[in-house]
Each structure stands twice: as structure tokens, then as C-alpha cells.
Amino acid sequence: MNSENRVNQLRADLEAATPGPWEPGDVWLTAGLIYSDAWERVGDGNATRCAYCHLGEPAWSGRADINGTVMPAHRHRNPEPYDPGHAVSSSGGGLVAYEGGGVVRSEDVRFVVSAREHVPALLSEVDGLRLKGAALRERITALHAPVQHMGQVWCGECSVRRSTGPRSEEWVAFIPHPCPTIDALGTAETQTTETKEQI
Ligand SMILES: [Zn+2]
Ligand SMILES: [Zn+2]
């Protein structure tokens, strides 16, 4: 996928997702039932409590896949504040210590996955555009360089001169430096900054 397609895909996934701003949601803890009401370890079928039951009554109980085994389980709301370090796992991260239940819609999941995949390409694109912009600015600034003439500063590119001999020239139109082109570069810079601030 080229970078333009990646950006388009990311935009489409962003537009399909739930409008922001998003906030971190509650953290949910899921565990299998392995204890009795007296907090003794008991076998399958007799257990009524999970390791998180000290937090209070479960918000959900049913059967869940716990470390590869489908068994009776509880889900409790974690009373601790949200901690990104506890709620996020990666494919290489091994055990998921906490289970985050915040993202529910499949479009939102798709956007999160899409962002993970396409944001690196987007950042490369931004880096490239910045370099291009800086190079362009440098070339234009060098082209519209100031020239001293009759004690004043003029734009060497915009001012019009006509040669009157092999080594002599006559100034026909005087355009002060900074010229409108250099001014426009400054305006573009300000507008870009304003646009950034709006985002
Ligand atoms: Zn429980
Ligand atoms: Zn100029």
C-alpha cells in the first residue's frame, strides 16, 4: 500500500469510527471461579468466587475463556483509576494483566488497528512534506535575494533591469525587498501555524 492509499484508508477508518473526543473508559477484571464463599480453593462446578470478588459483587457472571479454558467466570469493575500501563497489551506483550472493555463498536476497533498500521506511514509523509517545504522556501528566498542599489535594498529577482552595454545596466522597475513573494512566504508560514493551532 503506498503512502497516499494509507492516508486515505486511515481517513476512511477515522470517519467511520465514533466521533471524538474519546476518553479512557473503566477497566474490567475478568477471572475464573476457583474459590468457595469461604475462600477455599474448590474444584470445577462448586466454585462461587473469583480472585477479584473481594472488590464486591461482579458486574457480570457467565462462562469465559480464561487462559485457554472456558469456565465459569466473573467480571468486576476495577475501582482503581485508569492506568494505560495496565490496560494495553501488544501481540508481543504476553499476559494481559487487565482487560480493557472500553472499545465496543467494531468500527472503533478497526480505527485503532488502522491507526497502528498507517500512522507510521503518515508520519513519514509529514516528515517528507516538511523537508520539501523547507527546501522550497530556501530556494525561493535565495532567488528573491536583496540587492543594494542607490543606497536602498531592492529585490534582485522582482526588480527589472535592462542591459545598456556589455557590463552596464539600467534599472527600470524598483521593487523593494522584502518583495511580495517573500511577504507571501511569511504569510503562508503564519497561516500554516494558525491551521495547526486549530487542529
Ligand atoms: Zn468475582
Ligand atoms: Zn522578489
Side-chain angles (χ1 to χ4, degrees), residues 140 143-145 154-159 175-182:
I140 292 171
L143 189 64
H144 291 256
W154 313 100
C155 175
E157 173 68 13
C158 294
S159 299
I175 307 294
H177 192 279
C179 66
T181 301
I182 296 291

Side-chain angles (χ1 to χ4, degrees), residues 1-10 118 121-122 124-125:
M1 197 182 285
N2 67 32
S3 69
E4 194 186 333
N5 287 347
R6 283 174 178 276
V7 171
N8 289 344
Q9 185 62 57
L10 185 60
H118 300 308
L122 188 65
S124 308
E125 183 88 4

Side-chain angles (χ1 to χ4, degrees), residues 131-141 185:
L131 283 175
K132 261 189 216 163
L136 205 56
R137 179 173 302 275
E138 208 168 286
R139 287 183 62 180
I140 292 171
T141 307
L185 278 185

Side-chain angles (χ1 to χ4, degrees), residues 147-192:
V147 175
Q148 294 269 359
H149 180 66
M150 286 168 33
Q152 290 195 58
V153 184
W154 313 100
C155 175
E157 173 68 13
C158 294
S159 299
V160 181
R161 283 155 290 180
R162 149 178 104 182
S163 52
T164 51
R167 285 164 181 274
S168 58
E169 59 178 18
E170 179 186 33
W171 285 65
V172 179
F174 296 83
I175 307 294
H177 192 279
C179 66
T181 301
I182 296 291
D183 282 344
L185 278 185
T187 312
E189 179 91 329
T190 315
Q191 281 171 349
T192 310

Side-chain angles (χ1 to χ4, degrees), residues 33 49-53 56 58 74 76:
L33 307 189
R49 294 288 167 193
C50 79
Y52 297 120
C53 271
H74 281 170
H76 293 267

